[in-house]
Amino acid sequence: MSDLMNIGVLASGRGSNFQSIIDNIEAGHIKAVISVLITDNPDAYAIERCRKHNIESLVLKPGDFPDRNRYYSGVADELVKRGVGLVVLAGFMRVVGKALIDIFPNRIMNIHPALLPSFPGLHGQKQAVDYGVKLAGCTVHFVDEGVDTGPIIIQAAVPAYHDDTEDSLSERILRKEHLVFPYAIRLFTENRIKVNGRKVIVDGNREDQSMINPPGIK
Ligand code: GRF
């Protein structure tokens, strides 16, 4: 049996973050295996990425389950069955239910396109543009029952300009997302992340914890 960590990915859409994780695993930067992609959307482009990279994909739609609780225990069952040690939300457009969180406490990671706790929820980038902030960015955090409220693992900042649109800022943030999400996943698979209440302690130097200019994985 391999001692590589099994990762389960949940995604609802195009899956560019999913792709960045695949690429980092294939390049040998993250020692892990993506065991399954679970999506709530049969049209998600993330499924196509699975085909290209020989990853199992599973469509589980909430509407096919009697209620939200049973949906998330169904999702948890599929992940447990595959021996998943880390669940990665890569553009999963739903608030995850307790039934899943209880099975994977501090083992579910999400990426949010804002510097939390500012601008949680949908359209974080548009909220930042409308507010007129001068620094924007993204946050990788563990998932609890709130909306983007769990302990923060890593953040990366980008400038925001007065003439930014939602699209231009989103694009700038996305480039950082593709660096910090795989980085956080690697720290987790190397067992270098501990959680103490709200605080995430990263074993390493200060540069591993807060990334104004994330270097990406080398
Ligand atoms: C990203 O902006 C991410 O921060 C948010 O959803 C979007 C997903 O994009 N959670 P993609 O599907 O990974 O391209």
Side-chain angles (χ1 to χ4, degrees), residues 45-77:
Y45 186 69
I47 298 174
E48 185 57 31
R49 298 185 196 272
C50 286
R51 280 194 203 105
K52 288 186 183 149
H53 294 271
N54 204 19
I55 295 168
E56 182 191 7
S57 64
L58 212 56
V59 178
L60 294 182
K61 293 191 279 182
D64 294 340
F65 289 77
D67 56 41
R68 188 167 175 268
N69 196 42
R70 261 165 298 175
Y71 176 64
Y72 284 106
S73 30
V75 171
D77 286 348

Side-chain angles (χ1 to χ4, degrees), residues 11-19 49 89-93 110-114 125 138 170 173-174 177-178:
S12 304
R14 66 186 169 183
S16 71
N17 277 288
F18 177 38
Q19 186 68 50
R49 298 185 196 272
L89 308 187
F92 185 65
M93 302 310 284
N110 180 46
I111 184 140
H112 181 73
Q125 307 96 325
C138 54
S170 299
I173 294 172
L174 193 65
E177 293 184 32
H178 296 163

Side-chain angles (χ1 to χ4, degrees), residues 89 92 94-96 110-124 127 139 141-152 198:
L89 308 187
F92 185 65
R94 292 175 187 276
V95 177
V96 170
N110 180 46
I111 184 140
H112 181 73
L115 292 175
L116 292 171
S118 293
F119 314 132
L122 291 176
H123 306 293
Q127 294 183 56
T139 304
H141 64 93
F142 286 114
V143 172
D144 63 12
E145 283 180 66
V147 177
D148 303 319
T149 51
I152 290 173
R198 278 217 56 85

Side-chain angles (χ1 to χ4, degrees), residues 156-171:
V158 299
Y161 302 115
H162 69 89
D163 56 354
D164 261 324
T165 61
E166 180 180 5
D167 282 351
S168 65
L169 184 61
S170 299
E171 203 189 302

